């Protein structure tokens, strides 16, 4: 096999891995009933004039499955953090006891679980689209090589390898989705 085809296959696999990594990151943001510091990943605090991630201005811990505690590195940040959580509109009601902010994570309703499962399906579908776009780009590059004189057999073999990669990554996405849906729907 030529160097160009090896390069196309390697970059295709790398891009498909990127789609999987992105999907896993998106799945972390979809809450599944139990408390997790990742639930606050989208919250930014006004820290001396710049938008700063919550994790950089406070220690986030999860003492049990239904509670998140935030201990600001600076006491004067308590109200600012509390306000940022409210503004983020993620469905939490923070309580400030003077030292730490405590967030009780309410249990999910059946309707909310179905909505989150739909959101997970949508993210998985986006990842599949990403994988298919990578396949299309790889096949386009292989066709260009064929026009430039690479043998037809080598190009057909490369296209089959790209399709096998695509099938593998689509299956991996389906497995991740099934695991996430089971996690969401578990009461």
């Amino acid at each position: 096999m030529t160097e160009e085809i090896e390069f196309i296959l390697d970059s295709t696999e790398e891009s498909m891995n990127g789609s999987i990594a992105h999907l896993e990151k998106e799945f972390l943001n979809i809450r599944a009933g139990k408390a997790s510091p990742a639930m606050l990943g989208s919250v930014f605090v006004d820290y001396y004039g710049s938008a700063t991630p919550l994790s950089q201005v406070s220690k986030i811990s999860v003492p049990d499955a239904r509670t998140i505690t935030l201990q600001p590195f600076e006491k004067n940040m308590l109200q600012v953090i509390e306000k940022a959580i409210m503004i983020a509109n993620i469905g939490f009601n923070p309580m400030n006891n003077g030292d730490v902010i405590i967030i009780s994570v309410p249990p999910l309703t059946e309707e909310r679980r179905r909505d989150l499962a739909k959101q997970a399906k949508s993210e998985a579908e986006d990842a599949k689209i990403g994988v298919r776009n990578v396949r299309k780009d790889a096949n386009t590059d292989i066709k260009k090589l064929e026009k430039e004189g690479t043998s037809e057999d080598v190009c057909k073999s490369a296209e089959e390898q790209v399709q096998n990669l695509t099938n593998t990554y689509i299956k991996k996405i389906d497995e991740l989705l099934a695991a996430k849906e089971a996690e969401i729907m578990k009461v």
Side-chain angles (χ1 to χ4, degrees):
M1 222 178 270
T2 65
E3 268 183 45
E4 292 96 349
I5 288 183
E6 285 293 328
F7 177 76
I8 290 170
L9 292 174
D10 288 345
S11 64
T12 298
E13 187 164 10
E14 191 176 315
S15 296
M16 288 181 180
N17 265 327
S19 289
I20 295 287
H22 178 75
L23 177 65
E24 288 171 336
K25 186 174 177 248
E26 290 301 315
F27 276 178
L28 283 177
N29 292 333
I30 299 174
R31 85 181 188 118
K34 59 181 188 257
S36 159
M39 294 175 165
L40 300 172
S42 62
V43 179
F44 285 84
V45 178
D46 181 24
Y47 186 66
Y48 297 108
S50 66
T52 308
L54 189 57
S55 60
Q56 291 181 12
V57 295
S58 67
K59 178 180 172 247
I60 303 173
S61 58
V62 182
D64 61 58
R66 296 258 174 251
T67 311
I68 301 174
T69 60
L70 301 157
Q71 181 149 24
F73 299 135
E74 298 175 27
K75 276 267 203 256
N76 63 337
M77 292 300 292
L78 275 169
Q79 279 78 25
V80 177
I81 291 172
E82 200 173 8
K83 185 177 174 194
I85 293 169
M86 298 292 254
I87 290 172
N89 197 18
I90 50 179
F92 295 141
N93 190 15
M95 294 176 289
N96 174 352
N97 73 1
D99 291 325
V100 295
I101 294 173
I102 301 166
I103 299 173
S104 282
V105 179
L108 294 172
T109 63
E110 186 65 29
E111 183 182 338
R112 183 70 178 134
R113 286 179 195 280
R114 279 196 288 272
D115 289 347
L116 291 174
K118 278 183 195 168
Q119 185 181 347
K121 259 190 190 113
S122 170
E123 293 296 343
E125 197 52 46
D126 289 348
K128 285 180 183 180
I129 290 168
V131 166
R132 290 181 191 123
N133 285 338
V134 171
R135 174 187 61 191
K136 185 178 122 222
D137 294 343
N139 285 339
T140 302
D141 292 343
I142 291 169
K143 292 266 190 263
K144 279 183 196 166
L145 287 178
E146 192 175 345
K147 285 180 183 166
E148 292 170 6
T150 306
S151 89
E152 191 177 326
D153 290 343
V154 171
C155 290
K156 285 285 178 219
S157 171
E159 285 178 358
E160 286 173 16
Q161 284 180 289
V162 168
Q163 185 58 48
N164 289 340
L165 276 174
T166 303
N167 294 343
T168 301
Y169 281 93
I170 295 287
K171 185 177 178 207
K172 200 180 278 189
I173 289 169
D174 287 335
E175 289 167 0
L176 287 170
L177 175 62
K180 187 64 178 182
E181 283 181 327
E183 184 184 338
I184 289 170
M185 297 312 277
K186 187 176 79 180
V187 179

